[in-house]
Amino acid sequence: MLSKAKIKFIKSLQVKKYRKQEQCFVVQGAKSVQELLASDFEVSLVLGTADFFAHTSQQIHAETIEVTAKELTDLSEFQTNDSALAVARLKLNHPLTIRPNTFALVLDDIRDPGNLGTIIRTADWFGIHTIIASDETADFYNPKVISATMGSFVRVEIYYTNLEDYLGKTTLPVFGAYLDGKDVHHTSFGSSGLIVIGNESRGISDSLEKFITDKITIPRYGQAESLNAAIATAVICDNIVRHKA
Amino acid sequence: MLSKAKIKFIKSLQVKKYRKQEQCFVVQGAKSVQELLASDFEVSLVLGTADFFAHTSQQIHAETIEVTAKELTDLSEFQTNDSALAVARLKLNHPLTIRPNTFALVLDDIRDPGNLGTIIRTADWFGIHTIIASDETADFYNPKVISATMGSFVRVEIYYTNLEDYLGKTTLPVFGAYLDGKDVHHTSFGSSGLIVIGNESRGISDSLEKFITDKITIPRYGQAESLNAAIATAVICDNIVRHKA
């Protein structure tokens, strides 16, 4: 039985202020909850249908409540979910170390939660585990972000910081997409580096341009003025892995 | 002065049924409206702020009404728009001819309007002008689609049809992304063809598999199960243009 207090608690976690206060976030959908249960996140609560629990092989070290599909649907404000929901603890926002011979993404004010989620899913596809994000970037634990990652949030870590300070200290090459950069089809990315992805509307901040060591360009064959931020991320990552291979 | 009848009419065009009945759709935001005015779409109404009209050089052959930013904001249900809005006639859904030596996209039930809009924008970037879509694909004239194209809707045409019938008649090579296809980094795409993009949840329909002449794969270096449909489109397009060049 799902108490009114639990319903109120879960709904409150849609708001960043309450996620911070409670140090918890919500994961929805059978696949994402199963990925969560198999990860090192600390899970405190799992709601699921009888069918979900019958088909979930992961050990659950948390309070579990069997609910109806209707109860879950009522809890879902923006995505269809009639199977499972979990509450887990936020991970500490520690400075991340970038593994040797890998690339990391640097997100310069990616505001749209769907874009951030898609970027995390794309990073996971291309084997990128680390994201450094400006403080103005959408919150990793926003339920729309978690949903758009399609489970990849368990394999990609994010660190929010001031990008000028961060980029001022790095010794890695810093790639950034500009209209007048070097064609990514003919760029040697080397074995490690940072890829700066600019804001949806204005691209890379003027204040960060001085930290870009390698300006790159995705060649354009048509007339669109720009590419969506997540799309640009994917094309750059595909060119990096190709050149590494 | 914006009449109540006009407000009601514009708001009704958010619904497909009324777009079909009136044969009209809505375009929002200064940049998209300017792209529309420079295109061959037939525009019937333009609402704009004094500032918008002062900075718009395109000839306007339509009724124009000067409005306040507040009036526009009140008309916008899902995007920030305080500058301009236009109403234009739908284009006839005629069978499209694919230009020689070009590629076209075939969309197999892309349901999310944001994904469809991003695919159209991406197609425009890579010089693809033609999209063939299943009847279940999101409506091109949905305001969320138009918005996500960032103006590219004026340069990319879409034709809704039954894909089994369509693919059964084509003589072009038909590429489709599968997990066990040929690595796109080592695929020769030739100079023309169709690229089938599968539905967000289930990929390419089983009923279409027999029409795929060339199975391709975007190589994966991490652990995400799949890529977003628009992301996959972009990576495939980038590999096509690279191999054509």
Side-chain angles (χ1 to χ4, degrees):
Chain A
M1 178 64 197
L2 195 55
S3 67
K4 280 191 181 163
K6 282 235 160 57
I7 291 173
K8 197 177 159 197
F9 170 67
I10 291 167
K11 289 201 168 179
S12 78
L13 298 178
Q14 297 193 2
V15 180
K16 185 174 180 180
K17 176 181 148 192
Y18 295 109
R19 288 197 294 275
K20 203 170 167 186
Q21 188 176 302
E22 302 289 343
Q23 289 289 305
C24 285
F25 71 107
V26 168
V27 176
Q28 295 182 75
K31 182 177 173 300
S32 291
V33 172
Q34 284 164 345
E35 294 253 25
L36 178 76
L37 292 169
S39 77
D40 61 357
F41 274 97
E42 188 185 327
V43 182
S44 60
L45 174 66
V46 181
L47 314 182
T49 59
D51 189 61
F52 170 79
F53 287 118
H55 291 91
T56 295
S57 55
Q58 289 87 351
Q59 288 283 322
I60 302 180
H61 304 287
E63 182 184 1
T64 59
I65 304 177
E66 191 179 307
V67 292
T68 63
K70 169 90 172 56
E71 283 175 300
L72 282 172
T73 306
D74 290 347
L75 274 172
S76 309
E77 299 216 343
F78 70 93
Q79 75 169 92
T80 319
N81 174 28
D82 55 8
S83 178
L85 180 152
V87 175
R89 283 193 73 75
L90 306 188
K91 282 194 185 173
L92 280 176
N93 196 10
H94 51 81
L96 296 174
T97 48
I98 299 169
R99 305 178 202 173
N101 294 313
T102 67
F103 286 80
L105 300 180
V106 175
L107 305 184
D108 177 19
D109 301 0
I110 297 294
R111 302 290 175 104
D112 181 78
N115 277 343
L116 176 58
T118 304
I119 287 172
I120 292 164
R121 179 180 176 189
T122 303
D124 185 26
W125 178 275
F126 288 107
I128 290 177
H129 304 284
T130 309
I131 293 177
I132 297 101
S134 66
D135 291 316
E136 290 70 32
T137 293
D139 182 27
F140 184 85
Y141 294 107
N142 178 318
K144 287 184 187 171
V145 174
I146 295 292
S147 166
T149 71
M150 298 293 282
S152 291
F153 70 94
V154 303
R155 287 179 294 271
V156 176
E157 291 194 296
I158 200 164
Y159 172 53
Y160 290 89
T161 189
N162 179 298
L163 295 187
E164 288 188 57
D165 292 349
Y166 186 88
L167 293 176
K169 287 177 198 153
T170 189
T171 54
L172 291 168
V174 181
F175 298 90
Y178 287 84
L179 291 177
D180 59 346
K182 189 170 180 193
D183 183 340
V184 291
H185 295 168
H186 306 292
T187 299
S188 295
F189 290 90
S191 61
S192 62
L194 303 174
I195 305 131
V196 181
I197 305 296
N199 168 271
E200 290 95 338
S201 305
R202 59 155 170 69
I204 297 176
S205 304
D206 290 344
S207 63
L208 297 183
E209 189 170 353
K210 61 177 174 288
F211 301 112
I212 307 293
T213 59
D214 297 83
K215 288 190 180 181
I216 53 175
T217 294
I218 297 171
R220 180 174 72 162
Y221 295 77
Q223 290 175 266
E225 256 186 32
S226 62
L227 286 170
N228 164 284
I231 295 284
T233 305
V235 174
I236 293 169
C237 287
D238 184 61
N239 278 279
I240 288 176
V241 295
R242 165 203 301 276
H243 289 291
K244 273 184 87 174
Chain B
M1 179 64 196
L2 195 56
S3 68
K4 280 192 181 162
K6 281 235 159 59
I7 292 172
K8 197 177 159 197
F9 170 67
I10 290 168
K11 288 201 169 181
S12 79
L13 298 177
Q14 297 194 2
V15 180
K16 185 174 179 180
K17 177 181 146 190
Y18 295 110
R19 289 196 295 273
K20 202 171 167 186
Q21 188 177 301
E22 302 289 342
Q23 289 290 303
C24 285
F25 71 108
V26 168
V27 176
Q28 294 181 76
K31 183 178 173 299
S32 290
V33 172
Q34 284 162 344
E35 294 254 24
L36 178 76
L37 291 170
S39 77
D40 62 356
F41 274 97
E42 188 185 327
V43 182
S44 60
L45 174 66
V46 181
L47 314 182
T49 58
D51 189 60
F52 171 78
F53 287 118
H55 291 89
T56 295
S57 55
Q58 289 88 353
Q59 286 284 323
I60 302 179
H61 303 287
E63 181 184 1
T64 59
I65 305 178
E66 192 178 307
V67 293
T68 62
K70 168 90 172 58
E71 283 176 300
L72 282 171
T73 307
D74 289 348
L75 274 172
S76 309
E77 300 216 342
F78 70 93
Q79 74 170 89
T80 320
N81 173 28
D82 55 8
S83 177
L85 180 153
V87 176
R89 283 193 73 75
L90 306 187
K91 282 195 185 172
L92 279 177
N93 197 10
H94 51 81
L96 296 174
T97 48
I98 298 169
R99 306 179 201 172
N101 293 314
T102 66
F103 285 80
L105 300 179
V106 175
L107 305 184
D108 178 19
D109 300 1
I110 296 295
R111 302 292 175 103
D112 181 78
N115 277 342
L116 176 57
T118 304
I119 287 172
I120 292 164
R121 179 181 176 188
T122 303
D124 184 26
W125 178 275
F126 287 108
I128 290 177
H129 304 284
T130 310
I131 293 177
I132 297 101
S134 66
D135 291 316
E136 289 72 30
T137 292
D139 182 28
F140 184 85
Y141 294 107
N142 178 318
K144 288 185 187 171
V145 174
I146 295 292
S147 168
T149 71
M150 298 294 282
S152 291
F153 70 93
V154 302
R155 287 178 294 271
V156 177
E157 292 195 297
I158 200 164
Y159 172 53
Y160 289 90
T161 189
N162 179 299
L163 295 186
E164 288 189 57
D165 293 348
Y166 186 87
L167 293 176
K169 287 176 197 152
T170 189
T171 55
L172 291 169
V174 181
F175 298 90
Y178 286 85
L179 291 176
D180 60 346
K182 188 169 180 194
D183 183 340
V184 291
H185 295 167
H186 306 293
T187 299
S188 295
F189 288 92
S191 61
S192 62
L194 303 174
I195 305 131
V196 182
I197 304 297
N199 168 270
E200 290 95 338
S201 305
R202 59 155 169 69
I204 297 175
S205 304
D206 289 345
S207 63
L208 297 184
E209 188 170 353
K210 62 176 174 288
F211 301 112
I212 307 292
T213 59
D214 296 83
K215 288 189 181 181
I216 53 175
T217 294
I218 297 170
R220 179 175 70 163
Y221 295 77
Q223 289 176 267
E225 256 185 32
S226 62
L227 286 170
N228 164 284
I231 294 284
T233 305
V235 174
I236 293 169
C237 287
D238 183 61
N239 278 278
I240 288 176
V241 295
R242 166 203 301 278
H243 289 293
K244 273 184 88 176

